[in-house]
Amino acid sequence: MNPRILDVGNTAFTVEFGNLISPALLAEVNALDAAIARERGNPAFAGIIETVPTFRSLTIIYDPLATSRETLESALQGLLDETEHAPLRAGRHWRLPVCYGGESGPDLDHVAAASGLDTREVVALHAETEYSVYMLGFLPGFPFMGDLPPALHLPRRTEPRVRVPAGSVAIATGLTAIYPWESPGGWHLLGRCPVPLFDARCPAPALLAAGDRVCFEAVDSATCSTIAADCAAGRIDPHRWCIAEATQP
Amino acid sequence: MNLFEIKSAGALSSIQDAGRRGYRRFGVPSAGALSTPLMRIANRLVGNDEHAPVIECFGGGLHLVVREGSIRVALTGDATAQFSREGTKTPLAPWRSTTLVAGDELRLQGSGRDRAVTLAVAGLDCPRQMGSAATYARAGLGGQHGRPLAAGDSLRAAEPPGTPEQVLRKPPAIDRGASIRLVAGPQADFFDESALARLSASEYRISSEADRMGMRLEGPPLAHRDAASREIISDATVPGSIQVPGNGLPIVLLADGQTAGGYPKIATVISVDLPLLALRRPGDPVRFSLVSVAEAESLARSEEARIRALLAAIVPLAEDGIDLEALYAGNLIGGMIDALSPEYRTLT
């Protein structure tokens, strides 16, 4: 199927591969993103400022003084063919510590009641599922991860919180995420992850990347605080929770 | 050493520049000046690179004092400011550069008809993070220790350039009632057929919920096609994206806006008009009109030519002190500049 091209003003446009959250669409998004990155020296692609991959589309941001939508769209046509049936990039595997429930996860009881499970079952189900990182966005380093087991699918809170603490591990619809920064938010809070997900000093400042796989390990609140303090003081490199490097497909 | 201290930061004063590029994929907004034309002109007036960091001030209230050495400053926008030296207070006009010496104080009294004005300082020394000095406070990036300016902050600047103070004799005429031009999409098809027509035929008003992230508009609600069209699978946003949540009231994202969102976006403000919209104040009316992508690209090129002509029109202040041309230009625009006022003389 041909992707749709959507207008985003005079400085961007979006190549949309479909209208659902699926690893196959993500693979196409990432393949087009990688293909454009490869063409950086090609004058036909000059004027691209950056690209933004999301669940099922890639947004190309350009300088209208250096190129035009028409030029870029025709340059892209050649790349679109090779993105079809692209394999999903095999990312790194992570096991991140989470302190579930209590002050760290004020919605755990509600989620258990709403899903007809007890809190231990919710924790086990959430921690043991292996998630894919679909995209980063909303906040710096914020990973949208899926897919949540169907038993834990819940709509967003009807009253979004004004203040979700940094580190909150949250779920909504079929997704789970970690808030790297304090922010307003409408997701259900299950726990807290003490590992910082964003470091401005790194060339790739987000700890996680699209295509990475993530599962969780329940830890008690004392361990959680110790890890947070060690990370803040630079005694622990957050990459220690990476349990397997990326494999080439 | 040239050092100045912030005595008061006013409502919100932050260091901004042309913004970050290349980090939206990590969820990091571009940030940067709400009005790049004001930033570029202010920088050129003090002899900086056009895209150097400046101080963006919301409303009045910024108060600074030169502690050591001297600094050269320039205000752009509808600014009213005062400068005091040894107890004598004189107005500090925008659109010109002025050299302040140790002990001098600068007070920004107001931003007039605009939400924000720009203050450039020659050789303002601020660290860059991820390629930019722009303040993005949520993630502690750029600016003064990752935050907006606060009373007590000390900032360093380069030695003022040896060249004379500069002036832009004919400041840009800003049409504050101009309709803001939009390109429809990316999700115009998520709305009722009448929604785009309603958006471009109605008057909206900027609500009090307006900051650097975005502005909520009040006016006729825009109907989604159906209940299922009130949300999308989150995709990328840009500064200028017009999101419409379930209540039908548009939200325009600005420089600090989030990089992705789950509300359908009915249209995007074109690059030329975004600074004009971003500078409007809560309560101000807004009208929109639709253009094509090709028209908007062509408008971007003519706007760039206009800004370059403004930059090229910056000239040294007359050596004899009184700059008649500036006075005439000021009178044409403001209609009430006193011909004998000292704003357009060099300070000696």
Side-chain angles (χ1 to χ4, degrees):
Chain A
M1 202 186 80
N2 281 333
R4 295 206 305 158
I5 310 273
L6 309 179
D7 292 343
V8 186
N10 63 338
T11 61
F13 59 96
T14 292
V15 182
E16 186 182 273
F17 291 93
N19 195 21
L20 55 116
I21 296 179
S22 89
L25 289 184
L26 183 67
E28 292 193 57
V29 171
N30 288 339
L32 181 61
D33 189 31
I36 293 173
R38 264 202 330 267
E39 299 289 344
R40 270 299 154 91
N42 180 342
F45 291 83
I48 293 181
I49 293 172
E50 58 190 300
T51 54
V52 188
T54 66
F55 289 102
R56 36 98 193 207
S57 65
L58 185 75
T59 296
I60 290 128
I61 299 179
Y62 66 92
D63 176 0
L65 302 176
T67 182
S68 71
R69 163 76 174 273
E70 203 183 348
T71 309
L72 290 179
E73 225 182 288
S74 60
L76 277 182
Q77 284 308 324
L79 302 182
L80 285 173
D81 300 332
E82 63 175 277
T83 62
E84 228 174 326
H85 311 300
L88 186 60
R89 195 170 59 205
R92 296 161 296 178
H93 286 236
W94 300 82
R95 187 182 292 132
L96 296 171
V98 175
C99 171
Y100 284 97
E103 276 178 28
S104 302
D107 296 330
L108 179 62
D109 291 340
H110 167 75
V111 169
S115 53
L117 301 168
D118 67 39
T119 55
R120 296 166 71 103
E121 289 170 319
V122 171
V123 169
L125 207 50
H126 183 265
E128 285 159 20
T129 303
E130 187 181 76
Y131 305 98
S132 296
V133 176
Y134 279 109
M135 63 174 280
L136 301 168
F138 174 58
L139 292 169
F142 182 100
F144 288 87
M145 300 179 281
D147 296 324
L148 211 58
L152 296 180
H153 284 211
L154 290 178
R156 288 182 184 82
R157 285 165 58 89
T158 44
E159 286 284 320
R161 281 190 172 82
V162 176
R163 186 183 156 273
V164 172
S168 292
V169 176
I171 62 169
T173 61
L175 299 171
T176 187
I178 307 166
Y179 284 77
W181 311 96
E182 182 183 307
S183 138
W187 294 29
H188 307 274
L189 312 185
L190 295 185
R192 184 165 84 92
C193 172
V195 179
L197 299 183
F198 190 87
D199 185 346
R201 295 165 300 182
C202 298
L207 188 67
L208 305 176
D212 282 2
R213 305 227 144 214
V214 177
C215 61
F216 298 105
E217 182 181 0
V219 297
D220 60 32
S221 97
T223 308
C224 187
S225 302
T226 309
I227 293 171
D230 284 348
C231 287
R235 288 189 292 268
I236 299 185
D237 177 356
H239 289 89
R240 75 180 287 173
W241 285 281
C242 176
I243 52 177
E245 286 301 325
T247 49
Q248 294 304 318
Chain B
M1 171 107 80
N2 303 286
L3 202 68
F4 64 100
E5 184 189 323
I6 306 293
K7 302 266 278 186
S8 163
L12 172 67
S13 300
S14 65
I15 290 170
Q16 300 296 343
D17 59 15
R20 293 188 173 79
R21 290 179 162 203
Y23 294 97
R24 296 185 76 84
R25 59 174 49 243
F26 301 111
V28 182
S30 327
L34 289 181
S35 172
T36 45
L38 290 186
M39 172 193 80
R40 293 171 70 183
I41 296 168
N43 271 324
R44 186 61 76 83
L45 284 165
V46 297
N48 284 348
D49 179 272
E50 281 168 38
H51 298 105
V54 293
I55 300 175
E56 182 182 85
C57 311
F58 273 63
L62 178 76
H63 177 193
L64 61 83
V65 56
V66 181
R67 289 290 182 211
E68 282 179 50
S70 55
I71 60 173
R72 184 167 292 181
V73 299
L75 281 161
T76 51
D78 199 15
T80 314
Q82 194 179 64
F83 126 88
S84 58
R85 176 175 293 172
E86 291 164 2
T88 311
K89 292 173 179 166
T90 30
L92 187 80
W95 310 108
R96 60 158 289 178
S97 57
T98 304
T99 307
L100 305 179
V101 299
D104 287 359
E105 299 189 24
L106 184 161
R107 280 187 180 82
L108 178 63
Q109 289 149 317
S111 59
R113 291 157 289 179
D114 299 329
R115 206 155 64 115
V117 297
T118 300
L119 174 73
V121 180
L124 181 64
D125 180 22
C126 28
R128 283 173 170 71
Q129 245 181 329
M130 298 164 66
S132 163
T135 309
Y136 176 63
R138 189 174 294 287
L141 294 176
Q144 185 77 349
H145 313 297
R147 57 161 174 78
L149 295 177
D153 284 348
S154 263
L155 290 107
R156 277 201 278 198
E159 196 63 25
T163 50
E165 290 164 350
Q166 308 279 310
V167 63
L168 176 62
R169 289 181 167 142
K170 257 192 187 171
I174 296 168
D175 181 357
R176 292 180 174 81
S179 87
I180 300 295
R181 289 160 292 187
L182 312 173
V183 171
Q187 280 98 25
D189 55 345
F190 275 60
F191 293 85
D192 186 273
E193 277 172 21
S194 64
L196 264 183
R198 177 171 281 198
L199 179 63
S200 50
S202 312
E203 184 173 282
Y204 287 84
R205 216 160 266 282
I206 294 165
S207 80
S208 57
E209 288 180 77
D211 55 18
R212 286 185 39 88
M213 277 185 75
M215 36 182 42
R216 285 178 190 268
L217 305 181
E218 289 162 354
L222 304 170
H224 296 82
R225 208 179 48 204
D226 49 42
S229 304
R230 287 180 192 155
E231 283 188 26
I232 58 166
I233 296 170
S234 287
D235 73 356
T237 56
V238 295
S241 288
I242 304 184
Q243 297 184 325
V244 184
N247 65 8
L249 295 178
I251 302 170
V252 186
L253 296 182
L254 301 176
D256 286 3
Q258 65 272 26
T259 56
Y263 296 128
K265 297 173 284 294
I266 190 166
T268 313
V269 178
I270 70 170
S271 59
V272 170
D273 288 352
L274 191 58
L276 297 175
L277 178 62
L279 287 184
R280 289 196 192 168
R281 297 178 312 181
D284 284 351
V286 190
R287 283 187 170 278
F288 296 107
S289 58
L290 291 166
V291 295
S292 69
V293 172
E295 280 174 275
E297 287 179 337
S298 146
L299 287 165
R301 288 188 288 273
S302 42
E303 172 68 358
E304 179 63 16
R306 190 183 74 99
I307 294 170
R308 288 194 185 181
L310 285 166
L311 294 171
I314 290 172
V315 293
L317 268 170
E319 291 284 324
D320 62 2
I322 297 181
D323 187 320
L324 288 175
E325 267 193 73
L327 288 175
Y328 293 143
N331 277 333
L332 284 173
I333 290 159
M336 49 189 213
I337 291 179
D338 179 354
L340 295 175
S341 77
E343 294 112 286
Y344 293 96
R345 297 181 198 174
T346 50
L347 302 165
T348 45

